[in-house]
Every structure is written in C-alpha cells, then in structure tokens.
Amino acid sequence: MAAIKGKDTKPEMIVRHIVYSMGYRYRLHRKDLPGKPDLVFPGRSKVIFIHGCFWHMHDCPYGRVTPRTNAVFWRKKREATAERDRIKKRELEALGWEVLVVWECQTKAKNFSELAKHLHSFLD
C-alpha cells in the first residue's frame, strides 16, 4: 500500500488539466482545510475532491469490487474512509465552502466533454 499515491494521481491530473484549460486557477491540497481538498478555488469558496472509486466505495463497478483475501479488514478500511469523507464534507460546508466530488470512473471516459461541463457548471 505504500506505493499507492495520494497526490498527483492520473485522475487528479486529468481534472487539473481540464480545469486549467478552461481558465480556472486553483491551489492544491490546502492543509488548513478539512480533508486537504485536491483543488481549492479560494475566491469562489469551492473545493474539488478527486476520489478513487475502490478506496472511497463509489457505487460504480470499480467501487463495488470486494477483495477476497482479508475481506473484513478491507471492508472496515473502506467504510472508515467513506465515513471520513462525509465528515470532512460537512466540516467544509459548515465553513462556507461548496464541495464537489469527482470520481475516478468519471475520468476514464474517452471524451471528457461531460466531465468538463460538470466542472464548468460547478465553478460558475
């Protein structure tokens, strides 16, 4: 698990490229905010998290995978991650931030136009 990256992942780089190409500027991984959001737009009071489907238990086919070995450990670990996500989102909203979660599966499309529209509507 030490090889699993937490920053600069492929899905994160895709989202960053789309957002930057649309003309939006952002800060990365602000440590003073709950959950250290992946992209922070301070002037807009908006943040974006890019979540891996497996690790954060998305309801897509990638997120519904259940490991066969050490299943109890992985279930507890993934459930704790999902609960922590909910808590951090509530904390950010209480501080006046709008939160968007982009899932890894959304970045796997051949055409990123839907993702770009979704990001643009959130940021405007």
Side-chain angles (χ1 to χ4, degrees):
M1 279 187 23
I4 305 295
K5 292 172 29 172
K7 296 179 184 175
D8 302 330
T9 61
K10 186 174 180 180
E12 183 179 331
M13 298 305 283
I14 290 168
V15 172
R16 283 164 49 179
H17 176 75
I18 292 170
V19 169
Y20 191 87
S21 68
M22 289 191 299
Y24 296 104
R25 300 301 178 253
Y26 50 85
R27 298 287 171 248
L28 296 174
H29 312 288
R30 282 214 3 214
K31 294 176 184 172
D32 61 329
L33 292 175
K36 293 188 272 184
D38 296 308
L39 280 77
V40 180
F41 302 85
R44 300 173 186 279
S45 296
K46 297 183 180 194
V47 298
I48 296 176
F49 286 98
I50 296 104
H51 286 336
C53 295
F54 173 78
W55 299 104
H56 297 267
M57 295 185 71
H58 190 221
D59 60 355
C60 72
Y62 302 108
R64 287 192 300 260
V65 171
T66 54
R68 290 186 181 153
T69 57
N70 214 355
V72 173
F73 166 80
W74 285 110
R75 182 179 45 79
K76 286 182 183 178
K77 182 173 185 60
R78 294 171 67 212
E79 286 173 354
T81 301
E83 179 60 26
R84 184 174 59 246
D85 292 342
R86 286 187 285 275
I87 292 168
K88 297 303 178 187
K89 183 178 183 214
R90 281 194 299 264
E91 289 175 4
L92 283 164
E93 289 170 344
L95 292 171
W97 292 87
E98 287 183 60
V99 180
L100 174 69
V101 175
V102 175
W103 293 97
E104 177 184 14
C105 60
Q106 291 175 290
T107 66
K108 291 184 183 274
K110 299 277 187 243
N111 184 352
F112 297 120
S113 62
E114 285 299 315
L115 178 57
K117 286 179 194 173
H118 187 58
L119 291 168
H120 184 69
S121 68
F122 173 72
L123 292 170
D124 267 354

